């Protein structure tokens, strides 16, 4: 879901991703989680992100389910 969040998709891929989110509870949950996580990270921006958290985020970046 990373490319979707980063809006790095063409229009067709975007529609596909949105349709998939409508269908797939697993990805929908992950998408919402990433959105709220990013909001949190933005507010905590003054502090460097701990390496452990970075690793956890990287582990979440898997293709559509
Ligand atoms: Zn999915």
């Amino acid at each position: 879901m990373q490319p979707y969040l980063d809006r790095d998709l063409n229009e067709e891929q975007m529609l596909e991703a949105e349709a998939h989110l409508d269908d797939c509870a697993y990805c929908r949950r992950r998408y919402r989680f990433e959105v709220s996580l990013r909001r949190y990270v933005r507010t905590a921006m003054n502090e460097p992100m701990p390496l452990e958290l970075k690793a956890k985020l990287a582990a979440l970046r898997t293709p559509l389910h």
Side-chain angles (χ1 to χ4, degrees), residues 1-9 30-31 34 38 57-58 60-64:
M1 294 315 295
Q2 208 57 33
Y4 179 80
L5 279 171
D6 291 337
R7 297 293 187 267
D8 190 17
L9 294 177
R30 288 217 353 218
Y31 174 72
E34 276 239 27
R38 283 173 173 234
L57 287 177
L60 285 171
R61 286 170 190 170
T62 59
L64 288 177

Side-chain angles (χ1 to χ4, degrees), residues 4 7-19:
Y4 179 80
R7 297 293 187 267
D8 190 17
L9 294 177
N10 67 35
E11 199 171 330
E12 192 186 340
Q13 290 171 316
M14 185 77 98
L15 290 173
E16 211 174 286
E18 279 170 5

Side-chain angles (χ1 to χ4, degrees), residues 4-61:
Y4 179 80
L5 279 171
D6 291 337
R7 297 293 187 267
D8 190 17
L9 294 177
N10 67 35
E11 199 171 330
E12 192 186 340
Q13 290 171 316
M14 185 77 98
L15 290 173
E16 211 174 286
E18 279 170 5
H20 184 86
L21 285 176
D22 280 344
D23 280 357
C24 181
Y26 175 82
C27 289
R28 201 159 53 229
R29 271 200 309 275
R30 288 217 353 218
Y31 174 72
R32 289 200 191 125
F33 172 74
E34 276 239 27
V35 168
S36 54
L37 189 62
R38 283 173 173 234
R39 199 172 299 135
Y40 167 78
V41 168
R42 223 173 293 133
T43 64
M45 211 106 100
N46 291 332
E47 297 179 34
M49 200 188 290
L51 282 178
E52 195 191 335
L53 178 57
K54 265 189 193 166
K56 280 181 188 162
L57 287 177
L60 285 171
R61 286 170 190 170

